[in-house]
Amino acid sequence: MNIVEGKLQVQVGKKIAIINGRFNHIITDRLVEGAEDAYVRHGGNTEDLDLILVPGAFEIPLALEKALASGKYEAVCCLGAVIRGATPHFDYISAEATKGVASVALKYGKPVGFGVLTVDTIEQAIERAGSKAGNKGAEAMITVIEMLNLYTEIDV
Ligand code: INI
């Protein structure tokens, strides 16, 4: 059996963007750090890495659409943190961010990482932003690197 899978090695010269929501930036800044660290430790050159900042997770899908439409990026890593509050706002923002990112990724057929936390408490967010549950920004970037290599291999 032939196994086809992407390597965890950044391809030099292929530009990647991180899109990060500033809302809950105490958390999302840590996700960006994790993503950048993962990128560098897998052979990336930070000159090929752009950070696009948006106000919150709701703005991520359209920024993603524009980033991919520009043709500048081979892949995008989306980061943010949606934390449940006392109202249904959380459900609307997290649903729009998730659906929007998925549909833009399918439209462009390029690797898109989803490192947007959707959590009930700030403690759960802290756990996933560089403490006991790891760093979801780093995980999302590693996924982007793997999928970019996989698509390079299987695309015609
Ligand atoms: N944006 C987030 O990224 N996380 C949140 O937890 C959040 N909450 O809870 O309100 C949030 N709201 C802002 C939203 O993403 C938009 O920026 C805002 O509605 C303006 O369009």
Side-chain angles (χ1 to χ4, degrees), residues 115-147:
V116 179
L117 303 180
T118 53
V119 293
D120 288 331
T121 65
I122 185 89
E123 288 76 17
Q124 290 174 346
I126 291 167
E127 283 172 9
R128 289 158 179 76
S131 61
K132 67 182 189 185
N135 186 309
K136 298 297 171 191
E139 284 180 25
M141 179 59 81
I142 289 167
T143 299
V144 164
I145 294 165
E146 175 173 346
M147 297 313 282

mmCIF file of all heavy atoms in Angstrom, residues 115-147:
data_model
loop_
_atom_site.group_PDB
_atom_site.id
_atom_site.type_symbol
_atom_site.label_atom_id
_atom_site.label_comp_id
_atom_site.label_asym_id
_atom_site.label_seq_id
_atom_site.Cartn_x
_atom_site.Cartn_y
_atom_site.Cartn_z
ATOM 1 N N GLY A 115 -7.676 27.470 13.972
ATOM 2 C CA GLY A 115 -7.237 27.517 15.369
ATOM 3 C C GLY A 115 -8.044 28.551 16.132
ATOM 4 O O GLY A 115 -7.491 29.339 16.893
ATOM 5 N N VAL A 116 -9.353 28.552 15.881
ATOM 6 C CA VAL A 116 -10.235 29.474 16.608
ATOM 7 C C VAL A 116 -10.821 28.706 17.789
ATOM 8 O O VAL A 116 -11.591 27.752 17.595
ATOM 9 C CB VAL A 116 -11.357 30.013 15.694
ATOM 10 C CG1 VAL A 116 -12.271 30.947 16.484
ATOM 11 C CG2 VAL A 116 -10.766 30.739 14.482
ATOM 12 N N LEU A 117 -10.449 29.091 18.989
ATOM 13 C CA LEU A 117 -10.975 28.427 20.184
ATOM 14 C C LEU A 117 -12.442 28.777 20.350
ATOM 15 O O LEU A 117 -12.826 29.944 20.167
ATOM 16 C CB LEU A 117 -10.229 28.897 21.436
ATOM 17 C CG LEU A 117 -8.710 28.727 21.474
ATOM 18 C CD1 LEU A 117 -8.174 29.251 22.818
ATOM 19 C CD2 LEU A 117 -8.322 27.280 21.271
ATOM 20 N N THR A 118 -13.255 27.794 20.689
ATOM 21 C CA THR A 118 -14.660 28.049 21.045
ATOM 22 C C THR A 118 -14.858 27.357 22.387
ATOM 23 O O THR A 118 -15.018 26.134 22.444
ATOM 24 C CB THR A 118 -15.622 27.505 19.974
ATOM 25 O OG1 THR A 118 -15.333 26.139 19.716
ATOM 26 C CG2 THR A 118 -15.499 28.274 18.669
ATOM 27 N N VAL A 119 -14.804 28.134 23.441
ATOM 28 C CA VAL A 119 -14.749 27.549 24.794
ATOM 29 C C VAL A 119 -15.775 28.203 25.715
ATOM 30 O O VAL A 119 -16.255 29.311 25.455
ATOM 31 C CB VAL A 119 -13.325 27.695 25.392
ATOM 32 C CG1 VAL A 119 -12.312 26.849 24.634
ATOM 33 C CG2 VAL A 119 -12.888 29.151 25.416
ATOM 34 N N ASP A 120 -16.071 27.505 26.782
ATOM 35 C CA ASP A 120 -17.062 28.005 27.743
ATOM 36 C C ASP A 120 -16.465 28.982 28.736
ATOM 37 O O ASP A 120 -17.173 29.851 29.246
ATOM 38 C CB ASP A 120 -17.686 26.828 28.510
ATOM 39 C CG ASP A 120 -18.613 26.009 27.633
ATOM 40 O OD1 ASP A 120 -19.194 26.587 26.687
ATOM 41 O OD2 ASP A 120 -18.748 24.800 27.873
ATOM 42 N N THR A 121 -15.198 28.821 29.055
ATOM 43 C CA THR A 121 -14.594 29.646 30.121
ATOM 44 C C THR A 121 -13.216 30.141 29.711
ATOM 45 O O THR A 121 -12.546 29.541 28.864
ATOM 46 C CB THR A 121 -14.429 28.822 31.422
ATOM 47 O OG1 THR A 121 -13.472 27.774 31.163
ATOM 48 C CG2 THR A 121 -15.741 28.228 31.904
ATOM 49 N N ILE A 122 -12.795 31.209 30.381
ATOM 50 C CA ILE A 122 -11.450 31.744 30.149
ATOM 51 C C ILE A 122 -10.391 30.710 30.550
ATOM 52 O O ILE A 122 -9.349 30.602 29.913
ATOM 53 C CB ILE A 122 -11.266 33.100 30.886
ATOM 54 C CG1 ILE A 122 -9.907 33.745 30.576
ATOM 55 C CG2 ILE A 122 -11.407 32.988 32.379
ATOM 56 C CD1 ILE A 122 -9.917 34.618 29.378
ATOM 57 N N GLU A 123 -10.700 29.912 31.567
ATOM 58 C CA GLU A 123 -9.745 28.868 31.996
ATOM 59 C C GLU A 123 -9.515 27.864 30.858
ATOM 60 O O GLU A 123 -8.378 27.453 30.601
ATOM 61 C CB GLU A 123 -10.255 28.120 33.239
ATOM 62 C CG GLU A 123 -10.215 28.905 34.539
ATOM 63 C CD GLU A 123 -11.341 29.942 34.646
ATOM 64 O OE1 GLU A 123 -12.338 29.856 33.889
ATOM 65 O OE2 GLU A 123 -11.200 30.858 35.483
ATOM 66 N N GLN A 124 -10.583 27.482 30.186
ATOM 67 C CA GLN A 124 -10.438 26.539 29.055
ATOM 68 C C GLN A 124 -9.607 27.176 27.944
ATOM 69 O O GLN A 124 -8.836 26.497 27.262
ATOM 70 C CB GLN A 124 -11.812 26.136 28.514
ATOM 71 C CG GLN A 124 -12.597 25.247 29.458
ATOM 72 C CD GLN A 124 -14.017 24.986 28.966
ATOM 73 O OE1 GLN A 124 -14.516 25.666 28.067
ATOM 74 N NE2 GLN A 124 -14.672 24.005 29.563
ATOM 75 N N ALA A 125 -9.783 28.481 27.759
ATOM 76 C CA ALA A 125 -8.991 29.173 26.732
ATOM 77 C C ALA A 125 -7.510 29.188 27.112
ATOM 78 O O ALA A 125 -6.647 28.891 26.274
ATOM 79 C CB ALA A 125 -9.521 30.595 26.543
ATOM 80 N N ILE A 126 -7.229 29.494 28.369
ATOM 81 C CA ILE A 126 -5.826 29.540 28.833
ATOM 82 C C ILE A 126 -5.178 28.159 28.659
ATOM 83 O O ILE A 126 -4.041 28.052 28.196
ATOM 84 C CB ILE A 126 -5.752 30.020 30.303
ATOM 85 C CG1 ILE A 126 -6.151 31.494 30.388
ATOM 86 C CG2 ILE A 126 -4.348 29.812 30.883
ATOM 87 C CD1 ILE A 126 -6.410 31.996 31.809
ATOM 88 N N GLU A 127 -5.932 27.119 28.991
ATOM 89 C CA GLU A 127 -5.385 25.754 28.857
ATOM 90 C C GLU A 127 -4.970 25.448 27.424
ATOM 91 O O GLU A 127 -4.016 24.704 27.198
ATOM 92 C CB GLU A 127 -6.442 24.722 29.283
ATOM 93 C CG GLU A 127 -6.605 24.599 30.782
ATOM 94 C CD GLU A 127 -7.780 23.711 31.175
ATOM 95 O OE1 GLU A 127 -8.380 23.057 30.290
ATOM 96 O OE2 GLU A 127 -8.106 23.687 32.369
ATOM 97 N N ARG A 128 -5.683 26.038 26.454
ATOM 98 C CA ARG A 128 -5.421 25.732 25.043
ATOM 99 C C ARG A 128 -4.508 26.750 24.358
ATOM 100 O O ARG A 128 -4.260 26.663 23.159
ATOM 101 C CB ARG A 128 -6.769 25.652 24.299
ATOM 102 C CG ARG A 128 -7.553 24.423 24.696
ATOM 103 C CD ARG A 128 -9.032 24.522 24.443
ATOM 104 N NE ARG A 128 -9.703 23.282 24.846
ATOM 105 C CZ ARG A 128 -9.965 22.925 26.114
ATOM 106 N NH1 ARG A 128 -9.630 23.731 27.127
ATOM 107 N NH2 ARG A 128 -10.537 21.780 26.393
ATOM 108 N N ALA A 129 -4.048 27.715 25.131
ATOM 109 C CA ALA A 129 -3.224 28.787 24.540
ATOM 110 C C ALA A 129 -1.817 28.768 25.120
ATOM 111 O O ALA A 129 -1.220 29.809 25.395
ATOM 112 C CB ALA A 129 -3.894 30.145 24.774
ATOM 113 N N GLY A 130 -1.297 27.565 25.318
ATOM 114 C CA GLY A 130 0.096 27.458 25.750
ATOM 115 C C GLY A 130 0.255 26.923 27.154
ATOM 116 O O GLY A 130 1.320 27.092 27.749
ATOM 117 N N SER A 131 -0.779 26.255 27.687
ATOM 118 C CA SER A 131 -0.558 25.609 28.986
ATOM 119 C C SER A 131 -0.975 24.142 28.889
ATOM 120 O O SER A 131 -0.565 23.465 27.951
ATOM 121 C CB SER A 131 -1.215 26.379 30.132
ATOM 122 O OG SER A 131 -2.610 26.473 29.975
ATOM 123 N N LYS A 132 -1.816 23.654 29.813
ATOM 124 C CA LYS A 132 -1.883 22.190 29.933
ATOM 125 C C LYS A 132 -2.557 21.449 28.785
ATOM 126 O O LYS A 132 -2.379 20.240 28.671
ATOM 127 C CB LYS A 132 -2.463 21.774 31.292
ATOM 128 C CG LYS A 132 -3.886 22.119 31.535
ATOM 129 C CD LYS A 132 -4.234 21.669 32.964
ATOM 130 C CE LYS A 132 -5.723 21.799 33.199
ATOM 131 N NZ LYS A 132 -6.096 21.505 34.563
ATOM 132 N N ALA A 133 -3.297 22.136 27.942
ATOM 133 C CA ALA A 133 -3.848 21.446 26.759
ATOM 134 C C ALA A 133 -3.082 21.848 25.500
ATOM 135 O O ALA A 133 -3.596 21.759 24.386
ATOM 136 C CB ALA A 133 -5.337 21.716 26.621
ATOM 137 N N GLY A 134 -1.853 22.303 25.669
ATOM 138 C CA GLY A 134 -1.020 22.646 24.515
ATOM 139 C C GLY A 134 -1.327 24.027 23.972
ATOM 140 O O GLY A 134 -1.801 24.913 24.686
ATOM 141 N N ASN A 135 -1.007 24.208 22.691
ATOM 142 C CA ASN A 135 -1.247 25.508 22.053
ATOM 143 C C ASN A 135 -1.943 25.240 20.719
ATOM 144 O O ASN A 135 -1.342 24.692 19.794
ATOM 145 C CB ASN A 135 0.070 26.262 21.848
ATOM 146 C CG ASN A 135 -0.155 27.663 21.327
ATOM 147 O OD1 ASN A 135 -0.864 27.856 20.342
ATOM 148 N ND2 ASN A 135 0.443 28.650 21.978
ATOM 149 N N LYS A 136 -3.214 25.614 20.645
ATOM 150 C CA LYS A 136 -4.005 25.312 19.443
ATOM 151 C C LYS A 136 -3.544 26.135 18.246
ATOM 152 O O LYS A 136 -3.811 25.754 17.097
ATOM 153 C CB LYS A 136 -5.497 25.535 19.710
ATOM 154 C CG LYS A 136 -6.067 24.647 20.800
ATOM 155 C CD LYS A 136 -5.994 23.171 20.447
ATOM 156 C CE LYS A 136 -6.358 22.279 21.628
ATOM 157 N NZ LYS A 136 -6.060 20.859 21.413
ATOM 158 N N GLY A 137 -2.850 27.236 18.485
ATOM 159 C CA GLY A 137 -2.276 28.002 17.375
ATOM 160 C C GLY A 137 -1.159 27.199 16.719
ATOM 161 O O GLY A 137 -1.070 27.120 15.484
ATOM 162 N N ALA A 138 -0.315 26.591 17.536
ATOM 163 C CA ALA A 138 0.763 25.745 17.008
ATOM 164 C C ALA A 138 0.168 24.561 16.258
ATOM 165 O O ALA A 138 0.611 24.217 15.149
ATOM 166 C CB ALA A 138 1.656 25.263 18.147
ATOM 167 N N GLU A 139 -0.854 23.935 16.829
ATOM 168 C CA GLU A 139 -1.478 22.772 16.166
ATOM 169 C C GLU A 139 -2.061 23.153 14.807
ATOM 170 O O GLU A 139 -1.935 22.410 13.833
ATOM 171 C CB GLU A 139 -2.601 22.194 17.035
ATOM 172 C CG GLU A 139 -2.089 21.389 18.211
ATOM 173 C CD GLU A 139 -3.235 20.822 19.050
ATOM 174 O OE1 GLU A 139 -4.351 20.629 18.530
ATOM 175 O OE2 GLU A 139 -3.005 20.598 20.249
ATOM 176 N N ALA A 140 -2.708 24.322 14.760
ATOM 177 C CA ALA A 140 -3.315 24.752 13.497
ATOM 178 C C ALA A 140 -2.228 25.003 12.448
ATOM 179 O O ALA A 140 -2.394 24.647 11.267
ATOM 180 C CB ALA A 140 -4.165 26.000 13.718
ATOM 181 N N MET A 141 -1.112 25.599 12.861
ATOM 182 C CA MET A 141 -0.023 25.864 11.906
ATOM 183 C C MET A 141 0.599 24.563 11.406
ATOM 184 O O MET A 141 0.897 24.416 10.202
ATOM 185 C CB MET A 141 1.037 26.758 12.557
ATOM 186 C CG MET A 141 2.215 27.064 11.654
ATOM 187 S SD MET A 141 1.758 27.891 10.098
ATOM 188 C CE MET A 141 1.589 29.586 10.665
ATOM 189 N N ILE A 142 0.775 23.601 12.295
ATOM 190 C CA ILE A 142 1.362 22.316 11.878
ATOM 191 C C ILE A 142 0.429 21.628 10.863
ATOM 192 O O ILE A 142 0.875 21.038 9.875
ATOM 193 C CB ILE A 142 1.646 21.433 13.116
ATOM 194 C CG1 ILE A 142 2.820 22.035 13.903
ATOM 195 C CG2 ILE A 142 1.962 19.996 12.720
ATOM 196 C CD1 ILE A 142 3.021 21.456 15.287
ATOM 197 N N THR A 143 -0.862 21.772 11.087
ATOM 198 C CA THR A 143 -1.834 21.207 10.132
ATOM 199 C C THR A 143 -1.703 21.883 8.768
ATOM 200 O O THR A 143 -1.735 21.227 7.716
ATOM 201 C CB THR A 143 -3.261 21.386 10.679
ATOM 202 O OG1 THR A 143 -3.354 20.676 11.908
ATOM 203 C CG2 THR A 143 -4.308 20.874 9.710
ATOM 204 N N VAL A 144 -1.542 23.212 8.786
ATOM 205 C CA VAL A 144 -1.383 23.962 7.529
ATOM 206 C C VAL A 144 -0.143 23.470 6.773
ATOM 207 O O VAL A 144 -0.185 23.233 5.561
ATOM 208 C CB VAL A 144 -1.278 25.479 7.824
ATOM 209 C CG1 VAL A 144 -0.742 26.246 6.628
ATOM 210 C CG2 VAL A 144 -2.639 26.019 8.242
ATOM 211 N N ILE A 145 0.951 23.300 7.501
ATOM 212 C CA ILE A 145 2.211 22.856 6.873
ATOM 213 C C ILE A 145 2.016 21.462 6.253
ATOM 214 O O ILE A 145 2.390 21.212 5.102
ATOM 215 C CB ILE A 145 3.357 22.851 7.918
ATOM 216 C CG1 ILE A 145 3.657 24.281 8.383
ATOM 217 C CG2 ILE A 145 4.613 22.173 7.345
ATOM 218 C CD1 ILE A 145 4.506 24.356 9.656
ATOM 219 N N GLU A 146 1.392 20.573 7.017
ATOM 220 C CA GLU A 146 1.165 19.204 6.513
ATOM 221 C C GLU A 146 0.265 19.215 5.279
ATOM 222 O O GLU A 146 0.553 18.556 4.272
ATOM 223 C CB GLU A 146 0.549 18.330 7.614
ATOM 224 C CG GLU A 146 0.200 16.950 7.092
ATOM 225 C CD GLU A 146 -0.271 15.965 8.159
ATOM 226 O OE1 GLU A 146 -0.093 16.237 9.357
ATOM 227 O OE2 GLU A 146 -0.820 14.920 7.765
ATOM 228 N N MET A 147 -0.822 19.965 5.341
ATOM 229 C CA MET A 147 -1.783 19.937 4.230
ATOM 230 C C MET A 147 -1.225 20.620 2.986
ATOM 231 O O MET A 147 -1.516 20.198 1.854
ATOM 232 C CB MET A 147 -3.111 20.563 4.654
ATOM 233 C CG MET A 147 -3.804 19.810 5.782
ATOM 234 S SD MET A 147 -3.888 18.020 5.536
ATOM 235 C CE MET A 147 -5.219 17.920 4.367
#
